[in-house]
Amino acid sequence: MNSLGKAKSVQALTVYEVWRDRFLRDRLRPAVGIAIFFAFSITVYFMGERFFARQEFESVYLYTSAAVELGLLTCFVLQKTSFGQRYPGLLFLGFSWSLTVVVQIGLAVAQAGELPIFTWSLAFLIQATLMPVRWRLHLISQLGVLFCHVGINLVLNLSFAKYTAFKLTGFYLYLFWFCLICDLSVYWYECLQRKEFSTRRELESAYQQLEVAEAKYRSIFENAGEGIFQSTPDGRYITANPALARIYGCDSPEEVTAKFTDIERQLYVDPARRNEFLRSIEESGTVSDFESKIYRCDGSIVWISEKARAVRDSSGALLYYEGLIEDITQRKQAQESLRLFIHALSHDLRNPVAGMLMVLKNWQTKTGDSIAIPRSILERMIQGSEQQLRLINSLLEVHAGELRGLVLHCESVDLKAIVEAAATDLEPLMNEGKATFKNLVPDDLPAVNADKTQLWRVFSNLIANALKHNFPGLNLTVSAQVIKAEKLTINQSTAKQNIDKLPITNPQSPITNSQSPIPNPGSRMIYCTVKDDGAGILPEQCEHLFDLYVRGYESRHSVGLGLGLYLCRQIIGAHGGQIGVISTPGAGASFWFTLPLAENFR
């Protein structure tokens, strides 16, 4: 046995001994009480005998019974003292010898040679019955009486002279077996008690360990970051932890089990996902990374990923499903942001690269090994490259922000210069489409508070879209004027619907403005329009024109992914403005948006 095992054994033994002494003290109280009444009754009897049979009565018997009573009363008093609490074994011997040794001394004083078999048997039986612990104490008390008896008789030669050797042998044989039976009963009882005590202690220790383990796993269950559940095959939740309640938008796990009694119809946005879940878990016994859209308690929709297994009994019958649920909404949004980044990268860089490529191909058609490039063309190419670099930096910023999106770097911007820069970059595309472009932005137009690069993206996208989605010979006009925010009116219902769909703060927008606050109602704003005389747009197309991945109204030359107008909406919304379109089929289209003036933020 190792040192740890020995220490545990010693500790268990010490605890048992404490319990045994307490048990002995508790049993001494009724034993002493019973003996006191017994001795009192004998004393009363002797007093009566002395009164009614004076000539035949010997007073020593009365005195002996009184001495027994005094010894028992002394034990009774000592029980309540610290001495009695500390040494219960000594009180036990005092109790036993008060009934046996005192009587033996009294008989010796009376020169009586009787053998007090009845008194001894009664005392030893009371001890073994009421106090069946510490068998060695029982043996000491018995041997003490026997030594006292033998010693007195050897000195006074009382019993030895009165009884024959055969009768004394029978007396001692009876005393031996009676004491042996009493001592064995005490010993076996104590062995059983020790074993029961040890078993009880082990059971209590096991229960404590079980409670600790249960508390540990309960803590894990209650404080887990992932949702933990058990559900029945018919679609009810049996158990749920607080994390699952938070994912589902419930106030407590009890609300989850009470509310979701039909998982297929109440939880999944697509009810068919429940059948797919059951089919997958039936085929392999487990399911992992099972992604689905679900309804929360408040009706909102989130993405979750499930890991679950089927729990069966010994016969293979399905009992329930248990597993983990993780909210992956942010991860899905991050993935969408990444796709947006890649698509925006291809979309926004296409126009300046295409323009530069046209210039280079025109020079390639010229003859000769060396080609002289005019300074204006060289400057144009440098500007295009710089613009591409700004776009790349801007898009990288969008991607780095993921769900938070782009942080606008707003400053006082000359709107006319932005329009001219966008038109210059798109000049090759205009020349190819034989388009006519007019920049009617007034020279004295007040500056706007905007991000120069992002605003260039808006004009570039709107102009490029008009060129791509119309036939050659298009007339394009960009204009701007100062208005008050509350005076903005739209004549066409479809355009008004688009405005209503575009609040100033769009919670789903991946582009936010942390440096330019939204202007107060009633402040002055710039109202910009990009107007063409092309084919126009149908009303039903206008309703979804600014949605993600919606391609142009007449995608004659379009190879894009439907990001341009979506990005325009996000950028204008981040600036605190609105955007929309007014169009009639066959009469062209007028894209409009508003921007706050720089004076609103001084």
Side-chain angles (χ1 to χ4, degrees), residues 189-201:
Y189 177 84
E190 189 167 8
C191 288
L192 291 175
Q193 281 295 102
R194 184 183 290 108
K195 186 175 181 180
E196 181 183 356
F197 184 87
S198 177
T199 303
R200 190 186 307 117
R201 291 286 299 177

Side-chain angles (χ1 to χ4, degrees), residues 337 341 393-406:
S337 177
F341 166 73
N393 291 335
S394 175
L395 291 171
L396 285 173
E397 190 173 300
V398 173
H399 175 56
E402 292 184 345
L403 298 179
R404 293 172 301 169
L406 176 65

Side-chain angles (χ1 to χ4, degrees), residues 247-248 269 273 290-296 300-306 325-333 335-336 339:
I247 292 173
Y248 286 178
V269 174
R273 294 295 289 168
F290 189 82
E291 298 182 356
S292 308
K293 281 184 177 181
I294 66 160
Y295 293 111
R296 301 177 82 236
S300 61
I301 296 176
V302 296
W303 279 92
I304 63 169
S305 175
E306 296 179 78
I325 290 180
E326 180 184 3
D327 187 345
I328 60 171
T329 305
Q330 290 187 353
R331 188 176 77 193
K332 285 290 186 179
Q333 291 174 342
Q335 291 172 351
E336 182 64 25
R339 285 195 295 269

Side-chain angles (χ1 to χ4, degrees), residues 422-441:
T424 301
D425 290 333
L426 293 172
E427 186 175 342
L429 190 61
M430 293 180 186
N431 294 335
E432 181 186 11
K434 299 180 176 59
T436 302
F437 177 79
K438 294 181 180 179
N439 183 358
L440 300 183
V441 177

Side-chain angles (χ1 to χ4, degrees), residues 84-97:
Q85 294 293 320
R86 187 173 182 180
Y87 302 106
L90 294 179
L91 287 182
F92 174 87
L93 293 176
F95 159 79
S96 178
W97 288 341

Side-chain angles (χ1 to χ4, degrees), residues 218-364:
R218 171 59 59 180
S219 176
I220 295 174
F221 180 81
E222 296 290 339
N223 300 308
E226 294 179 317
I228 303 175
F229 73 92
Q230 289 179 330
S231 64
T232 62
D234 62 352
R236 292 180 295 104
Y237 279 112
I238 305 172
T239 57
N241 70 334
L244 186 65
R246 290 192 297 269
I247 292 173
Y248 286 178
C250 299
D251 294 331
S252 65
E254 291 75 18
E255 185 180 357
V256 175
T257 56
K259 180 179 179 63
F260 293 98
T261 56
D262 187 353
I263 296 176
E264 178 180 351
R265 294 178 176 83
Q266 292 179 300
L267 184 67
Y268 292 104
V269 174
D270 180 7
R273 294 295 289 168
R274 177 64 177 177
N275 292 329
E276 294 178 17
F277 173 86
L278 297 178
R279 184 172 59 254
S280 298
I281 208 169
E282 184 67 26
E283 292 174 355
S284 59
T286 61
V287 66
S288 181
D289 298 327
F290 189 82
E291 298 182 356
S292 308
K293 281 184 177 181
I294 66 160
Y295 293 111
R296 301 177 82 236
C297 290
D298 58 4
S300 61
I301 296 176
V302 296
W303 279 92
I304 63 169
S305 175
E306 296 179 78
K307 295 179 182 179
R309 71 182 186 97
V311 179
R312 303 179 184 274
D313 60 16
S314 57
S315 63
L318 178 62
L319 299 177
Y320 54 87
Y321 304 113
E322 66 179 11
L324 305 174
I325 290 180
E326 180 184 3
D327 187 345
I328 60 171
T329 305
Q330 290 187 353
R331 188 176 77 193
K332 285 290 186 179
Q333 291 174 342
Q335 291 172 351
E336 182 64 25
S337 177
L338 179 60
R339 285 195 295 269
L340 177 62
F341 166 73
I342 295 173
H343 295 161
L345 185 66
S346 62
H347 183 278
D348 282 347
L349 292 182
R350 181 178 291 112
N351 292 336
V353 171
M356 188 179 298
L357 185 60
M358 287 181 184
V359 173
L360 295 176
K361 284 185 176 181
N362 287 334
W363 282 100
Q364 188 181 30

